[in-house]
């Protein structure tokens, strides 16, 4: 595409490419926040390679093609690995595997009789772990293969990483020096759960598990790493002294497992045909893995033979990565639509020209939030790259700028809710935009769903399908309408016979007896969960008295911070919500608590001792203490063997290290709040 450029133009294009590649490489490696796809990055890179190939005399000293991508940032202490942390040559299919096998067999005929392990290629971050006399003393990133970054304290926050080996007394003798290599990652399930939580609370969601894991591992403040659900799998021994030195890869994996390391599932194959079969099997089952796998790794099992085969560059000949079919495809972004969630969060999503990714037809993909669209300048009509990994919801990686026709216009943030036409609002400190109108029809279905859910009014038999039916038929225009439903109205609906109608009416009647705290939860006020609702119902005797609460009064309640206090006041201040209260009262859904701390709080934390460290997101230190004590727990200042839980917030100090040393369970604020309800039921 540069064929028609003059030498001068080409030279300036080269400068432009170098600048762009350097910028995007910095965003990827140092900031862990890439704004273009790997595919696009490769295109820029390859374009530069082509120019340099045609004009070797132009090559600049600072050209990114003449630097082995190190990814070492200045932030961490550097550490030299005991032996180079090698990479792997990769192929893309069965033919590639056979070609490799023939090549290495020619070099050494023992390969003919060798067996192989086949392991998943985990798409995470390589980490190198050092154990001295069984104690985890240092952990580092791969870096450039020779020198990595010391991320010991971050790695220590990973629960699956053994701090001491053998973990169990039956795990054999303590190795004098053991250096192992593994992959740190965030499981697909944990990633989705984390994003869902973030989205509901209007915070920024993460792009994909790998970048999130990378960001977490390279946090300068390890208490922040502790909040990310990182895990680890260990797959090879770099150095082993004074312990077992297994002769085979399968022996290594078994030994690592015996010591207490989590290892990947692997197949031991008698010959190359079996290995190829295992590779196909792994690919067909990749969605069942808990992590993203981008391929399989085939390794010659006999380690002495693998070693004798030597290297090509930095790649050992004895092992091979076989990539799975990429789950990135490009398609046209037809339209950006927005979705209104229960809490009113507005989320943009992409409507796509349907495209197949790994056997699944994808028609929509998430765009995370509006910042995501603007950062990447994603425009309706763009050719975009989509990624589907495991069961993670497909997401738009970004636009393919080079495919633009020039007619695509920048996306404009919507000003009004598409369903109720009310203006959207933005809360300070959150990335999300909200529709705050509680009678917004788009929110209604999700509102009703939340209202009847287990943690709220717990109305049995009111699944999503029936909720939709009730809303679509016009019988339910707000949650109060549920309590006015009649048997005759239900019988008129498709699929309702006598028994189903009677059961539903009975279940709704039963809900009238739910306590005030459940009704408060059910209203879905921004930031009010089950625990806080219990606190509010202790102080206020009904929704009327809660609706009259002042900001200062609310702030005196243990768990309530300024945002929550304001959210409560705002909620009760909206005319639609005031009407809802009148309706709830008129249909008899009006629980009254004894108020003013009369209600007995379940003493679920009795016998448990807590220590608090760092800044918690929603509690002051004093509030957290009161909260724990109100449930019967005890709060002390220093961590000891008697401590049951260490509650950590941002910038946790030495207490965290102490707790880890003593094996004290570490929890964050969300987990603390969950503990209260978990133990109760
Ligand atoms: S073996 C010389 N096994 O894939 C041995 N690597 O370059 C090289 N990876 O980033 C590594 N899962 O960290 C091996 N089961 C596995 C792996 C694996 C993921 C990563 C590795 C590196 C890349 C290969």
């Amino acid at each position: 595409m540069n064929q028609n450029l003059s030498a001068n133009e080409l030279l300036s294009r080269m400068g432009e490419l170098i600048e762009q590649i350097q910028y995007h490489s910095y965003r990827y490696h140092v900031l862990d926040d890439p704004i273009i796809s790997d595919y696009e990055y490769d295109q820029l890179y390859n374009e530069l390679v082509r120019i340099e190939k045609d004009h070797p005399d132009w090559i600049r000293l600072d050209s990114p093609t003449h630097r082995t991508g190190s990814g070492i940032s200045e932030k961490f202490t550097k550490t030299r690995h005991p032996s180079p942390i090698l990479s792997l040559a990769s192929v893309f299919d069965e033919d590639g595997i056979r070609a490799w096998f023939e090549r290495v067999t020619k070099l050494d005929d023992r390969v003919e009789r060798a067996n192989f392990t086949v392991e998943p290629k985990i798409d995470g971050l390589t980490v190198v772990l050092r154990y001295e006399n069984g104690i985890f003393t240092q952990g580092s990133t791969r870096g450039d293969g020779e020198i990595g970054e010391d991320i010991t304290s971050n790695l220590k926050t990973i629960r699956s990483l053994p701090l001491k080996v053998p973990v169990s007394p039956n795990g054999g003798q303590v190795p004098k020096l053991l250096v192992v290599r593994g992959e740190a990652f965030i499981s697909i399930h944990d990633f989705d759960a984390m994003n869902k939580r973030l989205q509901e609370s209007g915070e920024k969601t993460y792009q994909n598990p790998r970048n999130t894991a990378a960001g977490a591992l390279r946090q300068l403040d390890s208490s922040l790493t502790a909040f990310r659900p990182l895990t680890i799998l260990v797959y090879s021994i770099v150095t082993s002294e004074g312990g077992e030195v297994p002769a085979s890869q399968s022996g290594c994996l078994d030994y690592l497992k015996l010591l207490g390391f989590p290892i990947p599932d692997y197949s031991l194959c008698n010959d190359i045909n079996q290995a190829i079969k295992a590779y196909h099997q792994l690919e067909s089952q990749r969605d069942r893995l808990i992590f993203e796998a981008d391929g399989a790794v085939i390794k010659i099992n006999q380690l002495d033979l693998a070693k004798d085969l030597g290297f090509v560059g930095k790649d050992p000949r004895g092992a091979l990565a076989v990539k799975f079919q990429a789950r990135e495809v490009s398609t046209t972004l037809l339209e950006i639509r927005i979705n209104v969630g229960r809490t009113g969060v507005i989320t943009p999503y992409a409507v796509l020209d349907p495209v197949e990714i790994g056997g699944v037809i994808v028609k929509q993909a998430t765009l995370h939030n509006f910042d995501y669209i603007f950062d990447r300048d994603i425009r309706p009509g763009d050719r975009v790259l989509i990624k589907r990994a495991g069961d993670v919801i497909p997401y738009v990686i970004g636009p393919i700028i080079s495919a633009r026709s020039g007619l695509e216009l920048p996306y404009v943030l919507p000003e009004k809710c598409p369903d109720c036409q009310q203006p959207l609002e933005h809360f300070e400190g959150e990335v999300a935009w909200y529709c705050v109108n509680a009678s917004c029809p788009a929110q209604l279905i999700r509102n009703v769903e939340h209202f009847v859910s287990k943690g709220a009014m717990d109305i049995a038999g009111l699944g999503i399908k029936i909720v939709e039916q009730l809303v679509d038929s016009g019988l339910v225009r707000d949650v109060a309408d549920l309590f006015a439903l009649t048997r005759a109205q239900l019988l008129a609906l498709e699929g309702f016979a006598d028994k189903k109608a009677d059961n539903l009416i009975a279940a709704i009647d039963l809900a009238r007896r739910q306590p005030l705290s459940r009704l408060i939860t059910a209203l879905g006020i921004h930031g009010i969960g089950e625990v806080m609702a219990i606190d509010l119902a202790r102080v206020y005797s009904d929704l009327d008295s809660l609706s009259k609460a002042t900001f200062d009064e609310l702030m005196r309640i243990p768990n309530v911070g300024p945002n929550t206090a304001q959210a409560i006041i705002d909620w009760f201040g909206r005319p639609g919500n005031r009407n809802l209260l009148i309706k709830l009262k008129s249909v008899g859904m009006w629980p009254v608590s004894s108020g003013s701390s009369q209600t007995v709080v379940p003493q679920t934390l009795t016998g448990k001792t807590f220590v608090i460290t760092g800044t918690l997101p929603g509690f002051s230190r004093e509030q957290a203490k009161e909260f724990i004590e109100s449930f019967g727990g005890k709060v002390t200042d220093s961590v000891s063997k008697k401590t049951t839980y260490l509650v950590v917030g941002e910038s946790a100090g030495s207490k965290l290290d102490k707790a880890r040393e003593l094996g004290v369970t570490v929890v964050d604020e969300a987990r603390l709040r969950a503990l209260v309800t978990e133990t109760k039921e």
Side-chain angles (χ1 to χ4, degrees):
M1 89 196 197
N2 289 323
Q3 271 161 7
N4 301 327
L5 297 184
S6 69
N8 253 348
E9 284 166 335
L10 205 54
L11 197 60
S12 78
R13 173 70 186 153
M14 186 177 94
E16 205 175 279
L17 285 167
I18 292 176
E19 215 166 278
Q20 282 183 19
I21 293 167
Q22 262 155 359
Y23 173 67
H24 291 301
S25 156
Y26 163 78
R27 288 209 64 121
Y28 186 94
H29 290 292
V30 181
L31 301 183
D32 294 320
D33 184 23
I35 51 168
I36 60 168
S37 66
D38 293 356
Y39 170 87
E40 273 185 290
Y41 180 87
D42 291 347
Q43 285 206 325
L44 295 173
Y45 194 92
N46 291 340
E47 192 183 337
L48 179 61
V49 170
R50 277 198 304 274
I51 299 178
E52 289 180 340
K53 206 170 138 217
D54 291 344
H55 303 275
D57 50 322
W58 289 1
I59 296 175
R60 283 175 20 185
L61 281 175
D62 65 344
S63 169
T65 62
H66 286 240
R67 182 174 75 149
T68 42
S70 75
I72 300 174
S73 88
E74 293 307 316
K75 301 182 290 189
F76 294 95
T77 320
K78 285 165 192 146
T79 166
R80 183 170 286 278
H81 300 303
S83 56
I85 300 303
L86 306 164
S87 49
L88 283 178
S90 47
V91 298
F92 294 88
D93 51 23
E94 197 175 316
D95 290 346
I97 303 175
R98 292 197 190 280
W100 165 74
F101 178 73
E102 276 163 29
R103 252 190 344 264
V104 283
T105 310
K106 266 195 205 129
L107 286 175
D108 192 324
D109 61 9
R110 285 178 293 166
V111 177
E112 196 105 51
R113 299 176 298 282
N115 47 23
F116 303 87
T117 62
V118 178
E119 303 163 23
K121 184 168 179 303
I122 306 145
D123 193 14
L125 288 304
T126 301
V127 290
V128 181
L129 315 172
R130 183 183 179 91
Y131 291 78
E132 290 169 48
N133 297 315
I135 306 290
F136 175 57
T137 51
Q138 193 186 54
S140 50
T141 62
R142 178 176 180 276
D144 63 1
E146 310 265 340
I147 294 172
E149 293 161 321
D150 185 329
I151 50 164
T152 313
S153 42
N154 288 351
L155 286 168
K156 278 186 178 173
T157 66
I158 303 181
R159 286 163 200 230
S160 50
L161 182 148
L163 295 178
K164 191 168 153 266
V165 289
V167 173
S168 114
N170 311 325
Q173 82 185 79
V174 178
K176 199 165 160 290
L177 174 69
L178 181 72
V179 181
V180 299
R181 172 177 180 175
E183 204 80 358
F185 61 95
I186 294 180
S187 84
I188 290 169
H189 172 266
D190 287 343
F191 180 78
D192 276 346
M194 179 170 70
N195 259 356
K196 192 159 174 253
R197 244 184 1 250
L198 290 170
Q199 188 166 60
E200 274 175 9
S201 58
E203 287 170 71
K204 214 168 181 160
T205 46
Y206 291 105
Q207 188 181 352
N208 65 46
R210 191 181 183 279
N211 285 348
T212 313
L217 277 181
R218 299 171 75 233
Q219 279 288 346
L220 279 177
D221 177 351
S222 56
S223 69
L224 294 180
T225 313
F227 286 109
R228 311 273 167 78
L230 285 164
T231 21
I232 192 164
L233 288 171
V234 170
Y235 51 73
S236 69
I237 296 178
V238 180
T239 304
S240 170
E241 289 169 20
E244 258 183 61
V245 185
S248 65
Q249 169 63 7
S250 57
C252 283
L253 288 166
D254 296 347
Y255 175 54
L256 290 167
K257 187 172 179 185
L258 179 75
L259 286 172
F261 287 102
I263 62 159
D265 282 338
Y266 70 96
S267 311
L268 180 55
C269 304
N270 287 331
D271 55 41
I272 197 68
N273 290 325
Q274 268 190 19
I276 289 171
K277 220 165 132 191
Y279 151 71
H280 285 309
Q281 203 167 5
L282 202 57
E283 175 154 29
S284 69
Q285 295 180 349
R286 67 194 276 201
D287 279 346
R288 288 197 213 148
L289 298 171
I290 61 156
F291 46 82
E292 258 185 89
D294 54 348
V297 184
I298 301 184
K299 299 177 183 172
I300 291 182
N301 197 33
Q302 286 76 6
L303 294 179
D304 54 347
L305 169 56
K307 192 165 167 234
D308 290 349
L309 284 168
F311 309 94
V312 187
K314 284 189 172 182
D315 305 334
R317 288 203 181 86
L320 185 72
V322 197
K323 292 286 183 84
F324 293 152
Q325 215 170 63
R327 280 175 168 180
E328 272 182 36
V329 300
S330 70
T331 185
T332 304
L333 167 59
L334 300 176
E335 197 187 335
I336 295 179
R337 283 197 202 151
I338 59 183
N339 190 27
V340 189
R342 171 186 69 75
T343 51
V345 177
I346 306 284
T347 21
Y349 66 95
V351 179
L352 306 168
D353 193 4
V355 63
E356 195 213 292
I357 316 182
V360 175
I361 303 286
V362 175
K363 295 181 190 146
Q364 291 181 354
T366 176
L367 285 160
H368 298 285
N369 53 58
F370 295 110
D371 283 357
Y372 189 86
I373 299 178
F374 296 125
D375 282 353
R376 286 158 184 77
D377 188 20
I378 300 170
R379 304 179 178 194
D382 264 340
R383 190 89 194 150
V384 286
L385 232 92
I386 308 296
K387 178 155 177 136
R388 183 181 83 89
D391 279 337
V392 176
I393 301 157
Y395 68 94
V396 176
I397 300 175
I400 301 171
I401 308 278
S402 54
R404 281 215 171 127
S405 70
L407 294 175
E408 305 80 1
L409 297 176
Y411 180 66
V412 183
L413 190 80
E415 283 173 9
K416 290 179 177 170
C417 168
D419 287 273
C420 69
Q421 307 305 324
Q422 294 293 308
L424 300 180
E425 285 185 25
H426 193 243
F427 292 93
E428 217 183 294
E430 295 188 7
V431 290
W433 285 79
Y434 288 87
C435 168
V436 291
N437 168 20
S439 29
C440 164
Q443 283 178 62
L444 183 56
I445 292 178
R446 294 199 174 81
N447 250 318
V448 177
E449 244 187 299
H450 169 73
F451 188 86
V452 304
S453 68
K454 257 200 150 64
M457 300 303 279
D458 193 15
I459 304 182
L462 249 182
I464 169 81
K465 285 269 159 324
I466 299 183
V467 171
E468 278 172 1
Q469 215 179 352
L470 291 172
V471 171
D472 290 346
S473 66
L475 286 176
V476 169
R477 280 151 305 151
D478 58 38
V479 293
D481 283 340
L482 286 171
F483 299 94
L485 285 172
T486 65
R487 193 171 182 275
Q489 282 173 334
L490 292 181
L491 285 174
L493 295 177
E494 174 88 31
F496 270 89
D498 287 350
K499 189 148 177 261
K500 191 165 164 184
D502 287 341
N503 286 348
L504 188 54
I505 297 280
I508 292 172
D509 256 345
L510 209 59
R512 282 181 216 274
R513 286 190 235 150
Q514 291 286 25
L516 177 61
S517 59
R518 284 201 174 244
L519 180 59
I520 296 174
T521 310
L523 295 177
I525 303 170
H526 186 66
I528 310 283
E530 291 168 50
V531 178
M532 199 165 317
I534 292 173
D535 285 334
L536 292 170
R538 272 165 56 210
V539 179
Y540 299 98
S541 57
D542 62 10
L543 291 182
D544 272 343
S545 65
L546 177 58
S547 73
K548 293 189 189 105
T550 64
F551 185 82
D552 290 346
E553 218 176 280
L554 288 166
M555 285 292 284
R556 282 199 288 275
I557 297 171
N559 303 313
V560 178
N563 288 344
T564 317
Q566 198 53 52
I568 295 172
I569 289 173
D570 290 350
W571 196 93
F572 284 103
R574 269 173 229 128
N577 295 336
R578 281 208 295 273
N579 284 340
L580 180 65
L581 294 194
I582 297 170
K583 269 182 88 174
L584 282 170
K585 207 181 227 173
S586 73
V587 294
M589 185 58 238
W590 200 256
V592 176
S593 78
S594 36
S596 306
S597 306
Q598 303 277 314
T599 316
V600 183
V601 180
Q603 297 297 289
T604 45
L605 301 181
T606 306
K608 307 216 157 73
T609 306
F610 292 76
V611 175
I612 306 163
T613 181
T615 315
L616 302 178
F619 275 137
S620 71
R621 201 51 86 76
E622 205 38 49
Q623 286 172 338
K625 187 163 180 273
E626 279 182 34
F627 174 80
I628 292 167
E629 286 170 353
S630 72
F631 287 93
K634 206 172 126 192
V635 180
T636 63
D637 283 334
S638 54
V639 178
S640 75
K641 271 194 201 140
K642 292 199 189 122
T643 312
T644 330
Y645 294 106
L646 176 72
V647 186
V648 294
E650 240 179 76
S651 316
S654 58
K655 286 178 186 167
L656 185 59
D657 296 335
K658 183 85 197 265
R660 299 221 172 269
E661 217 172 274
L662 295 174
V664 171
T665 310
V666 177
V667 295
D668 60 7
E669 183 185 316
R671 182 82 192 106
L672 167 67
R673 291 178 188 275
L675 273 179
V676 175
T677 37
E678 261 170 32
T679 346
K680 189 180 69 194
E681 270 148 9

